[in-house]
Amino acid sequence: MSFDPTTPLLGCTAFLLGAALVASFVRWPGWAIGVYTTVQLWQSYQSVPGSRSGAGVDLLPTDVLTMCLLAASLIILARRRGYRAPLALLALLSLTACALLRGFGRFDAQTVGNEARTHFIQLLCVAFFVAVLSPGRPLVRTVARVWVAAACVLSLLALLWWLEAGIGSNSEQVMVDGVLTNARALGPAEALIIGQAAMFLLCGRGLAGPGFLAWPLLMVVVLMQHRTVWLAVGIMFIGWLLTRRHQRGTRLAALTVLGSLSTLGLLAVSWGVAEGVTSSLGASSEDDATLVWRVEGWLALLPRLDGVLDWLVGLPFGSGYDRMMNGVLITFSPHNYYLEVLLRLGLLGVAALLALYATAGRAAGADREDGLLIRLLICGHLVFMTTYPLFPEQAVILGLLAACARPRNDAPNPRTTQESPCPTRPHSSPASPVRTARI
């Protein structure tokens, strides 16, 4: 067997690059959040092949970033001894590890890894990194800026698509490079990010940009024609609007903008300008075949849980999601994250997931600055998960919610004057002239 000198050289280079990434993520967490979100969205937009059972594990850039983020989170925890990771998130990670180990004992590693890495390993590891960061306004501001920047880029890409292919409904297809594809500009993951960015702008004054930018983003969400995203963002927007009862000016401005957009829409319809758009929106809102098909798939998967153990901790990764529907074998995961967690992590996993959101919602009640934003993001996630899984980009939001759910007394307190290590520094009494002058 001949020795290839390039192999250890490439290995050392990869190790050094990984170590540099981990060090930069520990030093600049905002950079880590921005890099992961950018790479993940680029992967989704370019349709980089994801996990496929039995097709081998394709190492993607986000897989490498996930491992680096996990290593960085462990370093942050080791350096900050007073910090405690959210128990619900730790429970989800532990149940995922158990399901992985059980899967490795029954199936090949490729099948197990491909099935678990996107909606469980990547999602929970990245969320864990964000969750161990210091909770508070700086973390919310960092996530808000990344989300608004991503939403603006995605909206521009959607505009370019519409100029080329037009605005299509969920039931239409267009020919792109000789392949039939869905006529919608972007997927539900990107549409949800745009809607969440609008909430950041509406709820957080000065977080990531001017509030009026939220209105064109909301219009983009409507034209995306993802009904679940419509419902999730609509509930968040209604929740924000109802809280404006004590701020008449803001509420009046919001209603004025909505009224103006509605008037323009009616005028466009009457002039025949928006005939294609309105017919497309109507087709998306009236088509219920997709929902019925999904519900039938959910009911077909539940009988796979057989016995108390399966209901408690779920089936191991690698078991697949095979079900027969109308005489056709369906193999991909269900469009419901609650069911997906139930099948792989059992009732304990579903309870841990809901406990994370419940804890974050309770903690948001004491947060006067960002409490409303946190509650709206929770509502959006709970609605979105009914027909879609949590995509890897949402790990940042999940981690933000987990960080906000942590008690604020976890953070190390700054040293007071009495705790100063310098023995020669005098300690002035509360009534001393020096302290009075300093105040």
Side-chain angles (χ1 to χ4, degrees), residues 18 22-23 25-26 64-78 125 128-129:
V22 172
F25 292 167
V26 173
V64 178
L65 288 176
T66 298
M67 294 300 101
C68 292
L69 288 170
L70 180 60
S73 62
L74 296 177
I75 294 175
I76 292 174
L77 278 179
C125 288
F128 185 73
F129 169 79

Side-chain angles (χ1 to χ4, degrees), residues 7 71 117 148 213 281 292-293 385 433 435:
T7 301
R117 66 175 180 178
V148 171
L213 187 60
L281 291 172
V292 173
W293 181 83
M385 290 187 297
R435 186 179 181 90

Side-chain angles (χ1 to χ4, degrees), residues 1 3-4 45 51 60 107-108 127 171 208 254 263 269 273-274 311 333 335 361 390 399 407 410:
M1 180 177 180
F3 175 75
D4 187 1
Y45 187 75
S51 58
L60 301 178
F107 308 101
D108 61 282
S171 58
T263 303
V269 172
V273 176
W311 280 97
S333 61
H335 284 267
L390 279 184
D410 280 358

Side-chain angles (χ1 to χ4, degrees), residues 6 10 22 29 44 65 71-72 81 102 138 143 161 174 187 195 209 213 253 274 360 362 384 400 405 433 438-439:
T6 60
L10 292 175
V22 172
S44 301
L65 288 176
R81 299 179 181 177
R102 293 165 57 208
V143 175
W161 172 275
V174 295
L213 187 60
R362 184 178 60 182
F384 186 80
L400 175 65
R438 186 163 56 249
I439 294 175

